[in-house]
Amino acid sequence: RRCSPWWSTGWAGLSTVLTPHPLEAARLLCTSAAEVQADRLHAAQQLARQWHCVVVLKGSGTVIAAPGQTPAINPTGNARLATAGTGDVLAGMVGAGLANGRATGADALRAATEAVYLHGLAADRWPAGCTLTAGALARHITNY
């Protein structure tokens, strides 16, 4: 089983943000999703060190980690975000933050942290009785 893809080296200094869910994180770490879930902080930190990037480990209590930084646990969000495509909306928000001038080092961490917070906040403020879909979330995010 190959656990170190060709693109895993030489990325230091570039603004890379990975947004795995626990199973994707487990595959990158050559472990199980259960082990990732058992210690989400450690898994996110390990990914950040191994891949030299910012990591957003999605799930309940999304963890944002970067090499040499104290990881953060996002206080916003709910189970509605466990909907197909909402992670893609989050990745787009992170990319927009990077493209908006937050392009290196700590700025990538800030862009990821802000995107995760606003993504979760949108879900927390979602109207009761209305279905949250990725498309509706993406349209709604422009209000933030």
Side-chain angles (χ1 to χ4, degrees):
R1 182 164 130 182
R2 187 174 175 161
C3 292
S4 183
W6 60 269
W7 49 269
S8 68
T9 58
W11 286 60
L14 296 179
S15 296
T16 302
V17 179
L18 298 180
T19 61
H21 56 64
L23 181 58
E24 292 167 331
R27 289 177 178 159
L28 291 169
L29 293 169
C30 297
T31 189
S32 69
E35 287 186 31
V36 167
Q37 289 292 79
D39 193 347
R40 293 172 52 78
L41 284 171
H42 176 74
Q45 290 175 301
Q46 188 177 357
L47 280 169
R49 279 191 307 271
Q50 178 179 331
W51 299 91
H52 308 285
C53 65
V54 175
V55 172
V56 173
L57 180 55
K58 297 181 292 192
S60 180
T62 294
V63 178
I64 305 103
Q69 302 293 318
T70 301
I73 300 173
N74 184 58
T76 65
N78 57 56
R80 287 180 166 183
L81 292 173
T83 301
T86 59
D88 297 320
V89 173
L90 174 60
M93 292 173 69
V94 171
L98 290 170
N100 193 29
R102 301 193 252 309
T104 59
D107 294 335
L109 178 59
R110 180 178 174 191
T113 302
E114 289 175 0
V116 169
Y117 182 84
L118 291 173
H119 185 255
L121 186 62
D124 288 344
R125 292 181 174 173
W126 202 258
C130 293
T131 302
L132 187 149
T133 64
L137 179 62
R139 286 187 296 277
H140 184 74
I141 287 296
T142 60
N143 296 327
Y144 290 91

